[in-house]
Every structure is written in structure tokens, then in C-alpha cells.
Amino acid sequence: MGAKEKKAMKKSLKKASAQQKAIVASREDKDAEFLPLEGGPGKEIVESAEPVNKSTVLYIGHIPHGFYEEQMEGFFKQFGTVKRLRIARNRKTGKSKHYGFLEFTNPEVAKVVADEMNNYLLFEHNLQIQLVPPEKVHPKLWKGVNRSIEPVNLVEVARRRHNKERTLQEHQKMVQAILKRDEKRRKRIKEAGIDYECPELVGKIQPKAKKIKFSDDQD
């Protein structure tokens, strides 16, 4: 074997060994992505951390009748300090709209309540509790939270409307409306085949207003 042939053989051997090392290295890189079965060296897997909850406001829906501000605060303060509480109410009647908002001082407590108390059965109602992200909290959400709504006394309003002083034209208009309803009632009774004579309405015929004339001789 000549010198040229020896040099060519050495080059081919070096090239083959370099290729083999590259293949082994690539296999090690792929195997390092998985944990070893028998405690061998492996690539460390980093678990994705859960996002930290910063929300302290809760939406509460399906609030049953009788579970109002005082009862709600007494119920939820067992989990933590209640900062603010508001139940949506009708401005005229003051009645509950069966949903509201609750704020805790600690965001961890708010998350626990949202996770554990959602769909909680209370007075035959399943409470719907969800966290409200800080960016979705309306700036006027807590406006007037401590203001009590006095319901309108509808009985008193109806009494004043009924007892107010009316002019002659207003009184005649009211009587005409009553007569119109009475005529419809009589028609329905007749169509139903009922033999009944409805009594006449008292005050159906209104006297005309008298005009008083004063003579020139009277002082």
C-alpha cells in the first residue's frame, strides 16, 4: 500500500468518525427532552405557572328572595373580610333584581369563594358566582352603595289621585269613561246568554252648571 492510499484511508476514517459523533450528539439532544426512566441525566422541564389572581370583586346571580344585604354579609364574612356589598334594586319600588356584587379585601379569598360556592343551592336557587376581572369593573359600580332606596308608596299615590279635586270637565270625562266600560260589560253579559238586568249607574246624568245673574238693584 502506497503513501497516497494511506493518507486517503486516514481521511475517510476521520470523516466517518466525525459523522458518527454528530449523529450521537443529535440523538442525545432529542433524548434529553424527555425524563429518563432510571434516573439518568435529563433535561429539566419547567412547568407553566398559573396566572396570579388579582380580582377581589365577585358577581353573584340568582339571589333568592329574603337573602339581602344583611344576610349576605353575614353569610360571606365567614370566608374573609367583606369590603363592599351591593344588590341591584329597582329605583321606584326598591325590590331586588336578584343579582349583585361583592368585594373582598383578599383576592385569594375571592377566588376560593368563586370556586367553591358557585352553583351553591340556597333557598331553592343555585347561586351563580364568578370573578370579575379588575379591568372590567365599572368605575361607577360602587356609587351609592350605602344609600338606601325608599320604595314608593303606591297606595298613597292612588289615594291622592282618587281624592284630588276635579273640575267639571274632568268629572264629565271620568263619568264618560265609566259609562263606556259599563256598556262593554253589559254587551259581554248579553253575548254570554245571561238574562240579567244591570242596574243603572247613579250619577249618570249630571246637572248643568247654573248661571247666577245679579241685578243692578242689588248692592
Side-chain angles (χ1 to χ4, degrees), residues 10-164:
K10 288 180 181 181
K11 288 182 180 180
S12 61
L13 290 174
K14 287 180 180 180
K15 188 176 181 181
S17 62
Q19 291 178 353
Q20 188 175 3
K21 288 179 180 180
I23 294 172
V24 172
S26 63
R27 288 179 180 177
E28 289 179 354
D29 292 339
K30 291 181 180 180
D31 295 339
E33 295 178 359
F34 303 94
L35 290 174
L37 296 177
E38 297 181 357
K43 188 176 180 180
E44 187 176 344
I45 298 176
V46 180
E47 296 182 358
S48 60
E50 295 183 359
V52 180
N53 176 46
K54 296 182 180 180
S55 178
T56 57
V57 180
L58 293 172
Y59 164 81
I60 304 177
H62 294 186
I63 298 176
H65 176 69
F67 192 60
Y68 301 139
E69 287 85 354
E70 184 179 355
Q71 294 80 11
M72 188 179 294
E73 184 177 1
F75 180 78
F76 284 104
K77 71 179 182 181
Q78 61 180 323
F79 299 96
T81 305
V82 177
K83 186 177 180 180
R84 286 178 290 192
L85 171 65
R86 180 178 184 180
I87 295 179
R89 292 182 175 274
N90 189 300
R91 293 184 179 181
K92 292 184 178 180
T93 62
K95 293 183 178 181
S96 172
K97 293 184 178 180
H98 304 289
Y99 74 92
F101 298 91
L102 179 70
E103 184 179 10
F104 287 98
T105 55
N106 193 340
E108 295 181 359
V109 174
K111 188 176 187 308
V112 170
V113 173
D115 294 339
E116 301 298 330
M117 298 302 297
N118 189 30
N119 290 324
Y120 182 79
L121 183 62
L122 182 67
F123 297 146
E124 299 182 358
H125 287 255
N126 290 326
L127 294 179
Q128 301 298 316
I129 303 179
Q130 299 176 0
L131 282 169
V132 181
E135 61 273 9
K136 291 187 178 181
V137 176
H138 198 276
K140 294 183 179 180
L141 176 63
W142 305 110
K143 183 179 179 180
V145 63
N146 296 322
R147 181 179 59 191
S148 60
I149 300 175
E150 296 182 1
V152 179
N153 192 346
L154 300 179
V155 176
E156 183 65 23
V157 173
R159 183 183 294 113
R160 290 179 182 177
R161 187 184 296 115
H162 182 270
N163 295 335
K164 75 174 184 178

Side-chain angles (χ1 to χ4, degrees), residues 1-13:
M1 182 181 295
K4 292 181 179 181
E5 294 177 354
K6 287 182 180 180
K7 288 182 180 180
M9 186 178 292
K10 288 180 181 181
K11 288 182 180 180
S12 61
L13 290 174

Side-chain angles (χ1 to χ4, degrees), residues 174-189:
M174 182 183 66
V175 171
Q176 291 298 327
I178 294 174
L179 293 175
K180 189 175 181 180
R181 290 195 298 269
D182 182 68
E183 185 179 354
K184 290 182 179 179
R185 189 184 303 112
R186 293 171 185 268
K187 187 177 180 180
R188 287 197 300 268
I189 293 174

